[in-house]
Amino acid sequence: MLMAMAAMPAIGHAMQDAAPAAPAPAPATSTIQQLFEQSTQATEAADYPRALEILTALEGRVVRNPRSLAIVRVRKAMVLAELSRWVEARDLLNQAAPALPRDDASLSTDRYRAAYTLGRVSMGDLDYVGALAHFSAALAEAEGPAARIQALLGQAQAGTFVDPAEALKAAEAANVIAVADPKMFDKASLAHIDLIRGRALLNLGQFDPAEKLFARAVKQQGGLTTKVDFDDLVTRSDASIAAMLAGHRDTARNYLVYTGAGRMPQQDFTQGADMALPRCGEDGVQPDDYAVVEFGISDSGAVSYARPVYGSRPGPSALAFARAVRDWSWRPDDVKNIPALFRFVTRLELRCSTAEGGPSMLAGPTKALGDWLEARRVPGPVLDNVPMTRQRALLLQQAN
């Protein structure tokens, strides 16, 4: 069943067509400190291509200083991770991490960044066990409440599909830190924490508590309106899943209305696609298992990222569905007919298959929801006018 579509832009390749024009090269006369500051500014502005260019230039300038080189490479790897260039990011971190001595207290922040980024890279590879270990290493280096919360939420996100009970503990620990200093964290940050707590509860089968947390997150983001940003869309999708599983079908459908689900024009995007499902009985997937997987589609037709959202059985079974989705593809000409918002992110409920082939069962529910919306003349949501640089910044918060 089509659970929800349209949330936030996918990491990396799906964003390349909207990237700004190639930036001018960094002036050769810039000092090392100036380059470092410029790279920081570009990263904070989510102008990752520019940050990568500056850091590459900086890497060449400090190549004879192992300590400085390691620091620069960690920051460069963080940018590569934002661009979904996971292999390059991992290779760079494997070079940099050994050059950050653990007995040097001044490098604690850099060790934290390296471990946290390795966690993100592992999640991009759908290696959630490895990610959990890296986030735990990051937590050991975390200084200050914000860093601790970030590491704990990383543990919770990875752990949700490894050990959801432990994941919930990590998410609750992050929430305790946040509510202890309410002036430090805004409503958007608190909503993000509630989302991760809710997803752990969802995957533990505690649907009612999860729905309440998602509903609170929706309110923290301004409530159900037709003008939404990417955070709103992700939250409403989560809320619709929890409400559906809790048996509150009307509430679930109401949330779906405000995500844009069921509004695919021109054609069913599953047509003409290579969308093989996991085989029942393989990779630990049982015939009764199903999962909700989120993914994006690049202009080339390849999947730019995939991640599990919910699995019917607690544990890693949902990861098998996400790995299958990661191998899906579309013909480039067909991708052009899919609205950009739906290419950026889509969520589908999937079941295993006894034969190869795409999930043809999706066409009926998709059309049914679209017809329901049209019959009631429900207006579609209007995306807030968020600049591309801000969209990329939102990914750092949502797509770890």
Side-chain angles (χ1 to χ4, degrees), residues 87-299:
V87 174
E88 294 170 81
R90 183 190 296 104
D91 290 346
L92 209 55
L93 288 168
N94 287 337
Q95 296 177 52
L100 299 172
R102 295 195 175 279
D103 59 354
D104 187 340
S106 67
L107 292 175
S108 179
T109 297
D110 296 284
R111 289 192 296 270
Y112 170 85
R113 288 170 173 162
Y116 185 80
T117 304
L118 278 168
R120 293 196 62 215
V121 168
S122 295
M123 288 194 71
D125 284 341
L126 296 175
D127 175 11
Y128 279 33
V129 172
L132 186 56
H134 289 307
F135 288 133
S136 297
L139 182 61
E141 297 284 357
E143 297 179 348
R148 286 187 60 79
I149 287 176
Q150 188 178 48
L152 284 165
L153 293 181
Q155 285 185 322
Q157 288 176 298
T160 293
F161 298 99
V162 177
D163 185 340
E166 289 299 314
L168 181 59
K169 290 180 183 178
E172 294 292 359
N175 186 60
V176 168
I177 296 172
V179 299
D181 191 355
K183 294 182 179 180
M184 184 174 180
F185 301 97
D186 58 17
K187 289 184 177 180
S189 298
L190 295 175
H192 182 56
I193 294 172
D194 279 346
L195 282 181
I196 296 174
R197 294 168 66 201
R199 288 171 195 157
L201 287 166
L202 194 69
N203 283 277
L204 282 168
Q206 299 182 36
F207 306 133
D208 285 316
E211 183 184 357
K212 290 177 182 177
L213 279 179
F214 293 143
R216 186 168 73 176
V218 168
K219 290 181 180 179
Q220 289 170 331
Q221 293 173 345
L224 290 175
T225 63
T226 56
K227 188 173 183 180
V228 298
D229 64 17
F230 298 107
D231 282 334
D232 293 322
L233 292 169
V234 168
T235 305
R236 294 167 191 184
S237 173
D238 286 343
S240 71
I241 294 169
M244 182 67 73
L245 291 169
H248 306 148
R249 301 182 70 85
D250 288 342
T251 301
R253 188 158 51 184
N254 190 48
Y255 282 124
L256 281 176
V257 166
Y258 289 95
T259 64
R263 295 184 178 278
M264 174 66 69
Q266 298 185 27
Q267 66 175 37
D268 181 355
F269 85 114
T270 66
Q271 294 179 3
D274 180 5
M275 300 172 70
L277 295 168
R279 298 292 296 274
C280 297
E282 296 182 0
D283 296 325
V285 177
Q286 300 177 5
D288 292 338
D289 289 343
Y290 64 93
V292 177
V293 176
E294 177 184 302
F295 64 96
I297 307 170
S298 67
D299 288 345

Side-chain angles (χ1 to χ4, degrees), residues 327-372:
D327 294 332
W328 287 0
S329 64
W330 285 256
R331 291 188 296 267
D333 288 344
D334 291 333
V335 171
K336 295 177 183 178
N337 295 323
I338 303 174
L341 185 59
F342 292 85
R343 295 198 306 268
F344 288 154
V345 66
T346 293
R347 285 180 170 185
L348 298 178
E349 180 187 291
L350 305 173
R351 294 180 182 272
C352 65
S353 173
T354 56
E356 297 293 342
S360 59
M361 79 288 285
L362 297 175
T366 303
K367 185 177 185 302
L369 180 58
D371 291 345
W372 184 87

